[in-house]
Amino acid sequence: MKITFAYLPEEQEEAAAGVAALLQLRPRMKVRKSDAHPPFKHIYLSVPKPDDPDGTKGSS
């Protein structure tokens, strides 16, 4: 799953609060920040896939 936050610099506190809340729910999230598209800043969150979501890994 991927989540993108796009915000203006004056909205940085709200974006940081949203990221902090999501990190509490999913601590394994990877966070990447970018300011390559002024005036907007972006925060990209990605959640790695679970190792074995349905329990069938390794069974034939």
Side-chain angles (χ1 to χ4, degrees):
M1 170 176 35
K2 295 181 182 179
I3 301 170
T4 303
F5 280 94
Y7 62 95
L8 294 170
E10 57 267 10
E11 299 171 328
Q12 186 167 355
E13 289 181 22
E14 291 90 354
V19 170
L22 288 172
L23 284 173
Q24 285 183 340
L25 294 173
R26 300 280 187 191
R28 291 180 43 192
M29 273 192 189
K30 293 181 184 177
V31 178
R32 187 172 61 87
K33 296 180 180 182
S34 173
D35 55 354
H37 304 285
F40 298 100
K41 294 188 174 194
H42 294 85
I43 298 175
Y44 301 99
L45 304 170
S46 61
V47 179
K49 291 183 180 181
D51 294 331
D52 189 19
D54 58 358
T56 59
K57 188 174 186 179
S59 61
S60 327

